[in-house]
Amino acid sequence: MAHPKRKISKTRRDKRRTHYKASVPQIATCPTTGEPHLYHRAHWHEGKLYYRGQVLIDNSTEEENLA
């Protein structure tokens, strides 16, 4: 098995790890509802599923009919 020839200092180890950063997710605003959501993702708003400003699934009418 391979063994390190010398001890890596904390500073050197931390310098190597500086490149691993968590990125902030980009948030878009829906042009129809004004709701913030992730890019390239559908989102629910008031019982409707929106994607790119268009309604994909409308569950609000089904819930009104059942009640």
Side-chain angles (χ1 to χ4, degrees):
M1 287 183 55
H3 293 285
K5 192 158 191 160
R6 295 185 186 279
K7 180 179 177 177
I8 304 286
S9 69
K10 294 176 194 129
T11 307
R12 201 167 181 87
R13 174 200 66 198
D14 293 344
K15 278 198 275 186
R16 182 182 67 245
R17 292 181 181 174
T18 59
H19 302 290
Y20 300 108
K21 297 175 185 166
S23 61
V24 178
Q26 288 187 315
I27 304 294
T29 305
C30 181
T32 308
T33 62
E35 283 286 306
H37 63 91
L38 292 174
Y39 278 105
H40 306 289
R41 301 289 190 283
H43 63 282
W44 289 96
H45 180 66
E46 297 179 356
K48 297 177 183 177
L49 184 67
Y50 287 90
Y51 182 68
R52 297 180 66 186
Q54 298 178 354
V55 178
L56 296 179
I57 299 173
D58 190 356
N59 284 344
S60 60
T61 56
E62 294 175 8
E63 292 172 2
E64 292 170 1
N65 293 339
L66 295 176

